[in-house]
Amino acid sequence: MIHECDALRDRIHVFADRTDAGFALARLLAGRFGPEAAVLAIPAGGMPVAIALSAELVLPIDVAVVSKVTLPWNSEVGYGAVAFDGTVELNRDLIELLGVDEATVQRGIDATRAKVRRRVASFASKLDRPRLWDTAILVDDGIASGFTMRTAVLALRKQGVPQIVAAVPTGSIRAVRDLEPHIDELFCANLRTGKSFAVADAYETWCDVPESDAIRLLADAAQRA
């Protein structure tokens, strides 16, 4: 089931920044989840959103590290993703379209797995421990393709998490609908139906979130808990 804010449908620049977006999401999720739930941020962009959401809902927060497997000649183009537990999801159609050979794909997976292991250690994630909650609320700053989120969902399914929810400030309706069958509920405050989509267009202020900033935000939230 998809939940959205009707008043925000197809609008741009609806959030001041990621923190403001987290507060908007909290209004959409208010009263739906109890203490059996936890907020899981997909870093780095999802961290400020998740921090605000967890604070407003008074829910614990952790991190679900997922990194894209990118082309060696263009780090902006991802043809797969690796999750915190080593789960790999590949876009075979895109791999074939781009003409990426299997040796290059495997090198990309290996490099991304090493990156994910480092990031899991940096964030001190608890997701390598037995399941701690009945509901996982996965949070990112937006869904453009849904590939990263879907990889995180697959990893959590392997852990036996009973209920998995996706919560994002903004999303492409096509990507959101593609993701819907893989999760139990999906919350997207600003759903957009246009032919072109960019996550950044939902925000008045937009910039990359350095990993060091995301680590600091998570540590600060842990101290306040």
Side-chain angles (χ1 to χ4, degrees):
M1 178 180 293
I2 299 173
H3 307 271
E4 63 170 308
C5 295
D6 292 336
L8 300 184
R9 168 71 80 105
D10 285 330
R11 292 174 56 192
I12 62 172
H13 301 155
V14 293
F15 310 116
D17 53 22
R18 289 179 175 90
T19 298
D20 180 48
F23 292 141
L25 265 184
R27 292 190 290 272
L28 192 58
L29 274 70
R32 295 178 182 270
F33 301 100
E36 77 289 346
V39 174
L40 303 182
I42 296 179
M47 186 62 72
V49 182
I51 293 289
L53 179 64
S54 67
E56 287 294 289
L57 299 184
V58 195
L59 293 177
I61 186 169
D62 202 340
V63 59
V65 174
V66 184
S67 289
K68 292 179 182 178
V69 185
T70 60
L71 294 173
W73 59 87
N74 188 344
S75 61
E76 296 300 315
V77 177
Y79 58 85
V82 177
F84 54 87
D85 68 339
T87 292
V88 178
E89 181 81 347
L90 296 174
N91 187 335
R92 284 292 176 184
D93 291 340
L94 183 58
I95 289 171
E96 183 176 350
L97 179 66
L98 295 171
V100 185
D101 62 80
E102 285 301 314
T104 300
V105 169
Q106 190 57 55
R107 285 195 296 272
I109 292 172
D110 292 343
T112 306
R113 275 187 168 143
K115 176 183 177 181
V116 167
R117 285 194 296 269
R118 177 189 61 77
R119 297 185 83 195
V120 167
S122 296
F123 281 101
S125 170
K126 303 179 184 66
L127 296 190
D128 58 343
R129 304 177 190 178
R131 178 170 52 82
L132 302 174
W133 1 260
D134 293 328
T135 300
I137 304 172
L138 278 167
V139 178
D140 207 346
D141 53 12
I143 293 179
S145 71
F147 210 82
T148 299
M149 182 72 74
R150 189 162 73 246
T151 306
V153 170
L154 286 173
L156 291 172
R157 292 287 185 209
K158 289 181 180 180
Q159 287 195 334
V161 178
Q163 184 178 31
I164 301 175
V165 174
V168 292
T170 188
S172 155
I173 193 166
R174 179 177 178 180
V176 165
R177 285 176 174 167
D178 286 347
L179 182 62
E180 185 183 9
H182 301 279
I183 58 175
D184 298 291
E185 287 189 272
L186 194 153
F187 295 83
C188 180
N190 169 234
L191 198 59
R192 306 214 308 270
T193 61
K195 291 183 179 180
S196 64
F197 176 86
V199 170
D201 286 344
Y203 298 86
E204 293 177 357
T205 299
W206 173 266
C207 60
D208 289 339
V209 178
E211 184 174 314
S212 57
D213 286 0
I215 292 170
R216 175 182 53 78
L217 287 170
L218 185 62
D220 290 347
Q223 287 184 346
R224 292 193 298 268

